[in-house]
Structures are given as C-alpha cells and as structure tokens.
Amino acid sequence: MEAPLYPDFPPDPSTPRGGQPAFWVGPRHLAGDDGRLYDAVADTLSGLGWTSLTIVRGRHEPDEAPEDRQVLRSTVLHISPDALRWAQWSLADEPFHLGDLPIAWQVSARTDTSSPLASWSSYFTTDVPGEAMTDFLAALDARDQPAVPLAGPELVLDAVAAHGWLRDIDQPQVAATDPTFTSHISLGEVPPLIQDADPRALATEADEAGPTGWQAWAEPSLGAPCLWAASFGASVPHDLVAAFAASLSSTAPVLRRVLPEATQERLLRAPAI
C-alpha cells in the first residue's frame, strides 16, 4: 500500500459528531462504491462539461394532481459536449443484471453524430469502485475519437501486472487476478445482451463463440455472490479498459465511510483524521 493502513482497527468505531467516520481503505478493488456511485460519476461528468438530462416516465390521469402522478421509470442521461459519448444511470430504470447484480451505469460512444447507434457500450454494477469508473470516463472524455482502437489487449494486463496482479497460469495473455484471488479481469466471450457495433454479436449461432470483450469482477470467496462486475463490449478500445484496470488495481488507498459487508474483514483501514 502507498499509505500506512491498520488491519486491526475496529470496523465500527463510534460515530463522531457530523456523520459517519471516514477511513482510508485498501485494496481498492474490494472497497465498494461507498454508497455514492452515482454522485462520484455525476460530479466527474459535470466537471468535464457533460450535460445531464432526466427522463421521467409515468401515468397521469385526467384531473390528477401532480403530486399524485405515478412515476413508472426514470433515467438520468449524461452527454458529452460533442455528443459522441454518453453515460446513463440505469439503476432506477429497471436495469438488467450482470453477475446477478443490477447494472448501475451504462457508458457508450459512437464514431459520429449522424448515427443514433452506439459503436460500443460498457456496463458497471453497484459497488464498482467509483475511482475506477471516473478514471475510465476521464480517459474516454480525453479521446478525440472515442470509438477508434489505439492499442492492443496486452495494455490491459500490463496495467494490472504493474500493480502486482498475477497473470493466469493457463491463459497469461488474456486473464489476470489480484494476489488474493478475489478480483479478476479477463478477455473472453461477452455475456448476452451486451450491446456492441460488432455485427458478429447479432449473427452468432447458438453453438458458435461470439465476439470477445473484457470482463472484470470481484468474488469475495469461492462460490460467493460477486461484490461487483463490469463488462466491456467487444469494440471498447483496449486503452480505455486499461485506464479502468489501472485504477481498479491501484495500491493507493481510497476514502470510505461505508464498507461492503462481504469484504469488510479483508480490508485494511486507517482512520482519516
């Protein structure tokens, strides 16, 4: 770690005046989202100049008071100034699931504004560390052409290996795991419903392998439910996935007030004074 952390510090100290106590926590990939994944991402996108739109769908009966209107679905959409990239907070919009977890954010990009379709999409569930998501989005925002590949897949594994992650013995070119074998990243067939511009995603037969994309997840213990999961469509540029992977595997501690129950005992923590 890049800061002194104390594993024996009590996980639930008395709460000081002014709210929950804060801790510097590591490792980052097991630290969760602090219960503020929307705020962390939305604040970053606002700082980058992205526009946010709230879409509300509901049922309105004649002569019904506004406060009695039944809201069925709502979505918050953040759009970059050039309209080539966007991020949708879908947790409140009946999201589908990834690794049995509800998808919270969907991030997409396209090559030009003449097409309404995304060139690629990526998906992030709850408890993905906000730092990894915001670093991914900052890299996406900095790109002139968000859908054009600039590097090969080895960049992703190099990013996590630089922080001590171990390449898979059987598949060293496509998979890696953290030293405790709880978090993983691999290049393989994308799960169903992951949207991508690659036409093979629509033409693949049931007995054929589909296009490959990066998947990342944390499994606190063997057979236990995942803490979080992230999926990147086949056309997501590898350098953007590498930005996510580098941040996810970083040894720098992160500030947290809410610790995931599933990984609380695995976290090193020091009080933030």
Side-chain angles (χ1 to χ4, degrees):
M1 306 299 294
E2 295 177 6
L5 298 173
Y6 306 98
D8 296 326
F9 199 88
D12 296 304
S14 59
T15 302
R17 178 182 295 181
Q20 294 175 289
F23 298 96
W24 288 109
V25 172
R28 179 179 301 189
H29 57 89
L30 297 180
D33 62 11
D34 206 28
R36 56 183 310 273
L37 186 58
Y38 174 78
D39 292 333
V41 172
D43 290 349
T44 294
L45 296 178
S46 176
L48 293 172
W50 291 34
T51 300
S52 63
L53 303 172
T54 301
I55 305 169
V56 178
R57 305 175 181 88
R59 183 180 295 112
H60 185 69
E61 301 295 337
D63 303 322
E64 184 180 34
E67 61 270 18
D68 295 330
R69 180 182 180 184
Q70 182 181 1
V71 175
L72 300 181
R73 305 175 72 189
S74 62
T75 296
V76 181
L77 185 66
H78 300 257
I79 305 173
S80 66
D82 61 7
L84 292 179
R85 52 214 105 192
W86 60 94
Q88 176 179 323
W89 171 256
S90 56
L91 194 61
D93 200 23
E94 301 177 12
F96 64 88
H97 287 64
L98 182 65
D100 292 328
L101 297 171
I103 288 174
W105 280 102
Q106 176 180 340
V107 179
S108 305
R110 57 184 174 178
T111 55
D112 58 76
T113 56
S114 63
S115 172
L117 301 178
S119 297
W120 58 258
S121 292
S122 54
Y123 304 82
F124 307 86
T125 72
T126 53
D127 272 324
V128 168
E131 295 82 3
M133 264 213 74
T134 56
D135 286 344
F136 172 79
L137 287 163
L140 172 61
D141 182 80
R143 255 175 162 263
D144 292 331
Q145 297 176 303
V148 177
L150 298 179
E154 66 279 356
L155 193 64
V156 177
L157 296 180
D158 287 346
V160 296
H163 293 149
W165 284 36
L166 309 173
R167 291 177 182 263
D168 186 271
I169 296 177
D170 298 321
Q171 299 176 304
Q173 303 305 315
V174 296
T177 184
D178 80 285
T180 66
F181 301 98
T182 54
S183 295
H184 313 265
I185 189 164
S186 68
L187 181 63
E189 186 175 355
V190 298
L193 302 180
I194 298 301
Q195 299 177 19
D196 195 83
D198 191 326
R200 291 176 298 161
L202 301 177
T204 302
E205 299 293 336
D207 58 346
E208 295 178 342
T212 60
W214 288 100
Q215 318 300 316
W217 68 97
E219 187 179 16
S221 59
L222 186 63
C226 289
L227 173 64
W228 57 263
S231 183
F232 302 86
S235 298
V236 178
H238 297 296
D239 60 293
L240 295 181
V241 182
F244 172 85
S247 182
L248 177 71
S249 59
S250 172
T251 58
V254 291
L255 195 63
R256 292 290 186 268
R257 296 180 183 276
V258 180
L259 305 180
E261 183 177 349
T263 58
Q264 189 172 131
E265 298 305 318
R266 289 178 173 267
L267 294 171
L268 305 175
R269 49 191 172 267
I273 300 175

